[in-house]
Amino acid sequence: MMSKKENFSYMKLFFEMMLISAFTFGGGFVIISMMKKKFCEELHWVGEDEVLDMTAIAQSAPGALAVNSAIIFGYHVAGITGVLLSTLAIIIPPIVIITIVCMIYEAFSTNAVAQTALRVMRAGITAIIIDVVIDLGSLVIHARNRIHIFLMSVAFIAVYFFSIGTITIILLFIILGIAMNFLKGEIS
């Protein structure tokens, strides 16, 4: 799937992915939020509905959500070349940062300034994750598909109130999605 997007270049894809990876703290959902803002809202390489689909695919695949998201975004924007560039760009900054942190771990773990900075970052990361949840949830609600809204509510209640594991929810919804499409005749 080769891109015909305006302002697209492989170099831009690589450096934008690398910047997102280098300045993202808090995990996969934070990186999805940053990818959505960069590739959907700023560069217009990806549509909002596509982000929701790509997030669902990235989360249901095994492995790190950040890498899965980069692979899917890269493929959507620039095919196999996009996958290779995005994957490389998304893993280089953590490898470099973790290597440096390991080299100075003793000084880093006991440094009061570093510890304070990490505690303050948690508040910002929480806000970003809430933003992602609201964005993705509003896309489902705006689609006005009652079944999807019902399923989203059931999934939330199951995870939040009954502590049912996310793996169980994902597997059940994969089976349910396949069954629903089979009944509609979209899968034979």
Side-chain angles (χ1 to χ4, degrees):
M1 171 181 321
M2 202 60 177
S3 174
K4 294 184 170 99
K5 319 278 185 214
E6 288 184 30
N7 303 323
F8 174 79
S9 75
Y10 291 117
M11 190 72 80
K12 190 168 193 157
L13 175 65
F14 181 81
F15 283 111
E16 293 295 345
M17 282 287 187
M18 187 177 278
L19 279 175
I20 288 170
S21 178
F23 294 102
T24 300
F25 299 90
F29 284 110
V30 176
I31 215 163
I32 286 174
S33 172
M34 294 182 75
M35 285 181 188
K36 178 181 176 284
K37 286 188 183 0
K38 178 56 75 178
F39 298 121
C40 180
E41 296 170 9
E42 290 179 30
L43 297 173
H44 305 287
W45 292 353
V46 178
E48 283 197 28
D49 292 343
E50 295 168 321
V51 171
L52 187 61
D53 293 340
M54 289 189 281
T55 302
I57 293 168
Q59 187 161 12
S60 60
L65 185 57
V67 176
N68 292 346
S69 301
I71 289 170
I72 292 169
F73 271 81
Y75 182 77
H76 182 78
V77 172
I80 296 300
T81 306
V83 168
L84 297 174
L85 289 175
S86 296
T87 304
L88 192 61
I90 213 79
I91 63 172
I92 287 174
I95 289 172
V96 171
I97 292 169
I98 293 297
T99 302
I100 292 170
V101 168
C102 287
M103 290 171 27
I104 59 170
Y105 178 74
E106 285 300 320
F108 191 76
S109 66
T110 57
N111 185 307
V113 173
Q115 294 302 314
T116 302
L118 290 174
R119 277 194 296 269
V120 171
M121 283 172 45
R122 289 181 196 153
I125 291 165
T126 303
I128 292 170
I129 291 173
I130 290 170
D131 180 53
V132 171
V133 169
I134 290 171
D135 275 359
L136 295 178
S138 67
L139 288 175
V140 172
I141 291 170
H142 284 122
R144 297 183 182 190
N145 184 322
R146 291 181 189 161
I147 293 173
H148 293 169
I149 293 170
F150 173 74
L151 291 174
M152 180 179 70
S153 303
V154 168
F156 174 77
I157 291 168
V159 171
Y160 189 77
F161 292 106
F162 298 104
S163 300
I164 295 176
T166 52
I167 294 171
T168 304
I169 298 293
I170 290 169
L171 290 175
L172 286 174
F173 278 52
I174 287 171
I175 293 167
L176 185 62
I178 291 170
M180 288 170 59
N181 283 327
F182 183 77
L183 291 174
K184 286 181 187 173
E186 294 176 6
I187 299 174
S188 55

